Amino acid sequence: MKKIKVLFPFVEAGFGHIMTERSICDAFEKKYGDYCEVVRSNFYKDSGSEAMKKFEDRLCDEVRSYNKNHFYGYASILAMNIFGSKITSWFIMEKLVKDAYKDSLKYMEDLAPDAVVSTHWATNYYAVKSSKKPYTVMYVPDAHANALFRYPCDFSMISMKEGYDRAMKFKRRYNEDNFKLAPFAIRQQAFEVTGTKQEIRQRLGHDDKFTLYITEGGYGIGMAEQLCQMLIEEDLPISVIVVCGKNPELHERLLKLKSKGNLSFYPYGFCDNVLELIASSDLYLGKSGNGLAEAAFYGVPIVVTHSANDIEKLIAEHYVTHIKDAVRIFNADKCLEFIKGAVAGSEEYLELKKHIKPREDFGGEGIADLIFEKLNEKFHLK
C-alpha cells in the first residue's frame, strides 16, 4: 500500500516553532514512518526563492522588533484581534512581501503533500490555499491561539489548558473533534540529558555552585547584559551561565566581563547544548516564550524578565498562575534581590521549587498519536 506523504515544514520566527516542529516530526517518523513518508522542509530556505527568504527574514525581524519595543509587540497583536483571522492572514501572507505568496504557494504545490503538519501559521495558510488541498494539522506552541493560528485548519492542538478553554469559545472555528489538548512538544533530547546537577556541571566543566541560567530568547535582546554586569559587581559565590543566541555582539561584550573572584562566569553564544545548561541550573531568568517549558521540564524555578507581546504575556501567565513555578520581575535591581534571596534559600524561591510539572505532560509522542489517529480516519492507513 502506497504511503501518504506528510510534510513537516520548518519556519524560523524565533526558535519555538522550529523546536516544537522537530519534536513532533521526530516522534511521528519514529512511531508511524511505516505508514507515512515523512518529508522535512526548511520551507522558506529550501525553495531557493529570494522572495520567500525575504518573507522569513521579515518574520524574524518582527520578533526582534517585539523584543526591542514592547509597545509595538502589544499593538501588533491588538491589530490582529481587531481585523480578525482572515483579513489579518490575507494581508500578512499575500501583501506584505512581493511574490512571497506566489512562490510559497507554488513550492507547497510542488511538494504535493497529502498532509501538512505546521507549528507556524504561515505554512498552514499555503496548505489551505493549495489547489490540491492536503489535510491540514496545526500545533499551537503558545498559551493562546491568536488570530493567525485560528485560520481554518482540519485539525488543531494546543498544550495549555487555559489556552484550550479560551479557543473553544470560538465555536464557529473549534469543537471537540477538530481541536484537542495535547502534551507540550519538547525536544526528544530533553529526555536524554541525564545525571544530577553536579554530574552535569562536571561534564560541562563548570564549578559546582548555585547556578543561574540567563537567556533572552534566540535573538538575545533584553536585560541579560545589565544583569550580568550587576552580578559580577556583587561577586556572589555562584555560577552564571548566559546564552546570547543569535546576538554575537552581545556575546563579544560579555566575554570581556571578568569575575572579581567568587563568581564563575560562563557566557555562551549560539550553542547546541542549551538543554544541558538549563538542567545544570538552579534558577532560570529570561524572556517569556517556549524556553520556559524547558526550565519547567527540568524542575528549575523561573523568573520571567519580560514579555514582548500578548502571546508571551499569556505564556508567562501559564507558568506564574497555573503551574506556579515562576514569578515575573521586569526590573534588573529587583531580579538581583530575588537572586540573592534564592541563593540564601528564601521562602519565595523554595515555594517555586515545589511546583514541578509531571514529565508526562511533555514530549512529541502523544502529539504524534493524535495526528496519526486523524490521518488514519482520513486515509485508512491501517
Side-chain angles (χ1 to χ4, degrees), residues 4 114-115 133-136 154 371-381:
I4 66 164
D114 297 292
K133 181 191 166 302
Y135 187 84
T136 52
D154 293 316
I371 294 170
F372 186 77
E373 181 182 337
K374 288 296 180 181
L375 294 181
N376 191 39
E377 288 177 9
K378 172 73 176 176
F379 297 103
H380 308 292
L381 302 174

Side-chain angles (χ1 to χ4, degrees), residues 175-194:
N175 57 58
E176 291 182 358
D177 184 58
N178 70 12
F179 191 48
K180 298 291 185 182
L181 191 61
F184 185 87
I186 202 165
R187 292 175 276 182
Q188 177 58 33
Q189 294 96 312
F191 295 91
E192 297 166 5
V193 177
T194 59

Side-chain angles (χ1 to χ4, degrees), residues 11 13 16-17 20-21 77 80-81 84-86 88-89 92 117-125 128 137-158 167 170 173-174 178-179 290 311 315:
V11 176
H17 301 284
T20 49
E21 186 83 0
I77 300 301
M80 290 180 194
N81 290 332
S85 177
K86 292 193 175 181
T88 302
S89 298
I92 292 174
V117 180
S118 300
T119 60
H120 192 278
W121 37 264
T123 48
N124 175 70
Y125 188 86
V128 170
V137 177
M138 178 87 79
Y139 176 84
V140 182
D142 304 323
H144 178 65
N146 68 48
L148 294 165
F149 274 111
R150 295 196 301 270
Y151 197 79
C153 179
D154 293 316
F155 179 57
S156 299
M157 294 163 285
I158 194 169
F170 294 90
R173 170 66 181 87
Y174 296 115
N178 70 12
F179 191 48
N290 289 316
I311 297 168
I315 292 173

Side-chain angles (χ1 to χ4, degrees), residues 41-291:
S41 170
N42 291 311
F43 190 79
Y44 290 104
K45 296 179 179 71
D46 291 350
S47 69
S49 162
E50 191 59 35
M52 290 173 67
K53 180 183 180 301
K54 187 176 178 181
F55 183 82
E56 186 173 49
D57 289 344
R58 179 65 183 269
L59 293 177
C60 296
D61 288 342
E62 286 295 300
V63 175
R64 293 186 182 96
S65 296
Y66 293 159
N67 286 285
K68 289 176 181 176
N69 184 339
H70 295 179
F71 174 79
Y72 176 68
Y74 282 92
S76 296
I77 300 301
L78 176 62
M80 290 180 194
N81 290 332
I82 290 171
F83 288 104
S85 177
K86 292 193 175 181
I87 292 174
T88 302
S89 298
W90 166 79
F91 175 75
I92 292 174
M93 301 302 297
E94 300 192 31
K95 300 299 178 185
L96 202 59
V97 175
K98 188 176 186 298
D99 292 332
Y101 172 70
K102 172 176 67 67
D103 290 358
S104 299
L105 187 63
K106 181 180 184 302
Y107 184 55
M108 179 66 75
E109 291 178 340
D110 288 345
L111 289 170
D114 297 292
V116 178
V117 180
S118 300
T119 60
H120 192 278
W121 37 264
T123 48
N124 175 70
Y125 188 86
Y126 308 129
V128 170
K129 294 287 187 178
S130 175
S131 57
K132 295 181 179 179
K133 181 191 166 302
Y135 187 84
T136 52
V137 177
M138 178 87 79
Y139 176 84
V140 182
D142 304 323
H144 178 65
N146 68 48
L148 294 165
F149 274 111
R150 295 196 301 270
Y151 197 79
C153 179
D154 293 316
F155 179 57
S156 299
M157 294 163 285
I158 194 169
S159 70
M160 301 182 192
K161 178 67 165 56
E162 60 275 18
Y164 177 84
D165 292 340
R166 269 192 301 271
M168 286 294 281
K169 294 176 183 177
F170 294 90
K171 296 188 183 300
R172 292 184 179 180
R173 170 66 181 87
Y174 296 115
N175 57 58
E176 291 182 358
D177 184 58
N178 70 12
F179 191 48
K180 298 291 185 182
L181 191 61
F184 185 87
I186 202 165
R187 292 175 276 182
Q188 177 58 33
Q189 294 96 312
F191 295 91
E192 297 166 5
V193 177
T194 59
T196 64
K197 291 184 188 296
Q198 290 73 28
E199 290 167 340
I200 297 169
R201 290 168 190 166
Q202 186 175 27
R203 288 203 301 266
L204 292 167
H206 291 182
D207 291 333
D208 185 16
K209 305 176 184 176
F210 187 99
T211 300
L212 305 183
Y213 177 93
I214 302 174
T215 181
E216 294 296 349
Y219 303 119
I221 300 168
M223 71 163 75
E225 184 172 12
Q226 180 188 5
L227 191 54
C228 288
Q229 289 169 340
M230 294 167 69
L231 286 163
I232 285 175
E233 186 61 32
E234 288 285 332
D235 199 28
L236 298 171
I238 62 174
S239 292
V240 176
I241 298 167
V242 57
V243 177
C244 303
K246 286 191 172 182
N247 191 336
E249 295 84 5
L250 173 62
H251 188 220
E252 285 297 319
R253 292 196 300 273
L254 292 180
L255 285 171
K256 294 174 183 176
L257 299 180
K258 301 301 178 186
S259 168
K260 291 181 176 181
N262 288 318
L263 183 141
S264 302
F265 189 52
Y266 306 104
Y268 287 80
F270 188 82
C271 55
D272 295 325
N273 64 334
V274 163
L275 294 170
E276 270 197 315
L277 297 175
I278 296 172
S280 77
S281 65
D282 297 291
L283 182 62
Y284 178 107
L285 297 99
K287 73 180 281 292
S288 180
N290 289 316

Side-chain angles (χ1 to χ4, degrees), residues 351-370:
E351 182 62 28
L352 298 182
K353 287 192 72 173
K354 292 178 184 176
H355 300 279
I356 297 174
K357 228 169 149 19
R359 286 205 170 183
E360 55 264 30
D361 289 352
F362 296 90
E365 278 207 11
I367 303 165
D369 292 341
L370 288 169

